[in-house]
Amino acid sequence: MLHGDKAKRLPGKNRQKRVAALVAILCLPAVTPAAGAKATYATFNLGGRFGTGAYAINDSGTVTGDYGYTSEQAHGFLRTPDGTITTFDPPDSTSTLPMGINSAGSIVGLYYGGSSGSGFIRSPDGTFTAFGVPDALTYPRSINLKGEVTGFYEGSDGVQAFVRSAKGKITKIIPTGSTETSTFSINS
């Protein structure tokens, strides 16, 4: 298990030199809204030459994504509904690409370190677990409340889907006759 977290609250000022797109997050109530209820939006910008990308939001309105300064150097972030932003990178990573978050706040994604990449799970306490399909580049996309992860990998058998159990067992998903499979979301 990997440990570490570069947690900090980013300043709200000193953004004049940053070039990035604003990120808009659609926050909808968890229950069916009354007629005429309006959605709310939050915009934020972490800066960086390549901007800020929000890729997943959970039921409480916590968002995860990345921001970057070069195409090879992206960093992960977590934004809570009150606007607190925590940035993070797995230890020894050069680029972090969070893709999914569950209601408990566990995040999954891909990170690169040196010349290789690996999937990761970032637990709500900030610890990291690296994992991957052996001999393949692994792209985790979603995690449910049980801790099961789904996504896809690129290996000698092409691009194929996988499910990782909460205990770490990876099962490849290769339907008979298929040439490529990908999974992007998993429910409880």
Side-chain angles (χ1 to χ4, degrees), residues 159-162 172-183:
V159 176
Q160 302 295 344
F162 74 89
K172 295 179 179 182
I173 303 170
I174 306 174
T176 303
S178 69
T179 58
E180 185 174 294
T181 58
S182 298
T183 54

Side-chain angles (χ1 to χ4, degrees), residues 47-107:
R49 181 172 167 214
F50 286 91
T52 302
Y55 301 116
I57 185 169
N58 67 15
D59 292 340
S60 68
T62 301
V63 176
T64 193
D66 68 11
Y67 69 101
Y69 294 95
T70 69
S71 59
E72 291 84 31
Q73 186 185 28
H75 306 282
F77 75 84
L78 173 72
R79 182 187 185 277
T80 60
D82 70 1
T84 301
I85 294 174
T86 302
T87 62
F88 63 87
D89 291 295
D92 302 320
S93 66
T94 57
S95 194
T96 305
L97 307 166
M99 288 283 128
I101 185 170
N102 67 17
S103 293
S106 293
I107 297 171

Side-chain angles (χ1 to χ4, degrees), residues 131 138-140 149-152 160-164 170-171 173 183:
F131 72 94
T138 306
Y139 299 88
V149 176
T150 194
F152 55 94
Q160 302 295 344
F162 74 89
V163 173
R164 179 187 184 274
I170 294 176
T171 303
I173 303 170
T183 54

Side-chain angles (χ1 to χ4, degrees), residues 6 25 38 60 81 134 162-163 165 169 179:
K6 296 177 188 172
I25 303 301
K38 296 188 184 217
S60 68
F162 74 89
V163 173
S165 74
K169 181 179 187 246
T179 58

